[in-house]
Amino acid sequence: LEIIVTIVNVNDNSPVFKQTNLTKTVPEDTKVNATIIPREDLSATDADLDTIYYELTTEAPDTGGYFAIKGVNNPEIYLQKVLDYEKIKFTTLLLYARDRPVNSADTTLTATATISIFIEQADTKPPWFLPCTFINTDNNICISSPYTGRVNISEMSTAPLTLEPGPIYAIDPDYTLNEKIVYSIVGGDTEKVFSIDADTGNLTMNKAATSPETFLLQVMASQVNNIQKYSVASVEIKVINKSDHAPYFKSSIYRGTVSVGLDPGSLVLDADVPSKPLMIAAADDDFTDV
């Protein structure tokens, strides 16, 4: 009697990952659709030789949507949207490997791998002149106001010029890189009256200005490692007549009178001459009376 015995495979083995914990560092400027972790590093095996179905989820809050797998049977992880170091610096992904499709009524065995993703800041932003004001909610664009200063006509200052709202100063907003920045005057100084220190940004004079005019300088701040990463700021320097005297009030005390119940905007009268409005006057000996 010949008896044929067929061994029926029972689903008694769970899928197995080669690694259950992986760590990956991803540069901020990685291109969308680029592979982050290849399939061979993530594929699971199953001793029952079942088809394996994969699912990827994001555990860290507010970091979803950046990473995905190529397909339900392909665990290769790729970048799905542009990274921004200001928004996401780290995330944790969970990769599930099942021997039955999701929501299958059959008994399903599952393996899980934890993937830690660290985002590495890249050199993506040009220098910012300070102070500056953010113009968007992502805080990745900061616009500075023009710098302003004054110099006396026919007088050459030997010290760095004092400017408003502060000295010329720029930073690398990719702060973990903090690339070195150098300064140069790229426009507005055809007479070579001014110089700028390449390292500090201090603005000084080469010679005196001989006419009352306004210089509108264009100052560039660029990264030493990449001159294409640069910003330009305006510096307005007014040439004025020298002031030898401070302004002063013609009287140390002014006295006025008002009546009860007057409307806002009513004149305050001179206490000494009630028929005239109170006038507060200042003078400056650098200027003749007009």
Side-chain angles (χ1 to χ4, degrees):
L1 178 65
E2 182 177 321
I3 300 173
I4 298 174
V5 178
T6 301
I7 307 300
V8 178
N9 190 15
V10 176
N11 185 19
D12 56 353
N13 292 284
S14 297
V16 176
F17 283 108
K18 288 188 294 184
Q19 303 178 69
T20 56
N21 288 280
L22 294 89
T23 299
K24 183 71 175 180
T25 298
V26 181
E28 178 188 12
D29 57 353
T30 298
K31 301 296 184 183
V32 171
N33 294 323
T35 297
I36 303 303
I37 303 178
R39 178 175 186 168
E40 54 268 23
D41 292 345
L42 297 169
S43 295
T45 57
D46 189 331
D48 297 320
L49 303 180
D50 291 323
T51 299
I52 298 176
Y53 301 86
Y54 298 93
E55 180 186 9
L56 186 69
T57 63
T58 304
E59 291 295 293
D62 303 321
T63 61
Y66 288 95
F67 302 96
I69 56 175
K70 286 294 182 71
V72 67
N73 299 122
N74 183 354
E76 178 180 312
I77 296 177
Y78 71 98
L79 183 63
Q80 191 168 234
K81 68 177 184 179
V82 175
L83 293 169
D84 184 345
Y85 186 77
E86 302 302 324
K87 293 181 178 179
I88 174 174
K89 297 178 175 61
F90 172 80
T91 190
T92 301
L93 308 176
L94 294 182
L95 180 63
Y96 299 96
R98 300 182 176 92
D99 56 12
R100 297 291 184 271
V102 176
N103 300 324
S104 172
D106 297 334
T107 299
T108 303
L109 300 178
T110 304
T112 305
T114 301
I115 303 158
S116 300
I117 303 285
F118 292 89
I119 310 304
E120 181 180 64
Q121 190 169 38
D123 191 4
T124 60
K125 300 182 183 71
W128 289 347
F129 282 96
L130 298 183
C132 63
T133 303
F134 291 109
I135 63 171
N136 61 350
T137 56
D138 292 338
N139 291 345
N140 54 16
I141 300 177
C142 203
I143 302 299
S144 63
S145 299
Y147 297 94
T148 60
R150 298 185 301 175
V151 296
N152 295 323
I153 192 170
S154 301
E155 183 177 294
M156 189 184 84
S157 173
T158 57
L161 302 184
T162 300
L163 303 176
E164 294 292 339
I168 297 172
Y169 179 61
I171 62 167
D172 180 4
D174 299 313
Y175 55 88
T176 63
L177 304 177
N178 195 27
E179 297 292 350
K180 180 177 174 58
I181 292 173
V182 292
Y183 305 90
S184 59
I185 298 174
V186 294
D189 188 25
T190 56
E191 300 175 24
K192 304 299 181 185
V193 175
F194 303 97
S195 291
I196 192 167
D197 188 292
D199 294 320
T200 66
N202 286 335
L203 192 66
T204 54
M205 299 185 71
N206 298 321
K207 59 184 179 180
T210 57
S211 60
E213 59 182 305
T214 298
F215 291 89
L216 190 60
L217 309 179
Q218 301 297 312
V219 173
M220 183 173 73
S222 58
Q223 293 182 189
V224 171
N225 70 326
N226 185 356
I227 195 172
Q228 293 182 347
K229 291 288 192 312
Y230 72 90
S231 293
V232 176
S234 296
V235 183
E236 183 184 73
I237 305 294
K238 292 182 178 180
V239 182
I240 61 172
N241 290 314
K242 184 177 180 180
S243 177
D244 293 319
H245 304 89
Y248 59 91
F249 288 103
K250 292 185 176 181
S251 176
S252 59
I253 299 176
Y254 291 86
R255 296 183 177 87
T257 61
V258 294
S259 300
V260 175
L262 283 178
D263 294 331
S266 298
L267 291 176
V268 176
L269 300 179
D270 192 319
D272 298 325
V273 187
S275 61
K276 294 182 178 180
L278 180 63
M279 302 290 291
I280 299 175
D284 189 328
D285 291 339
D286 288 314
F287 302 92
T288 59
D289 293 333
V290 178

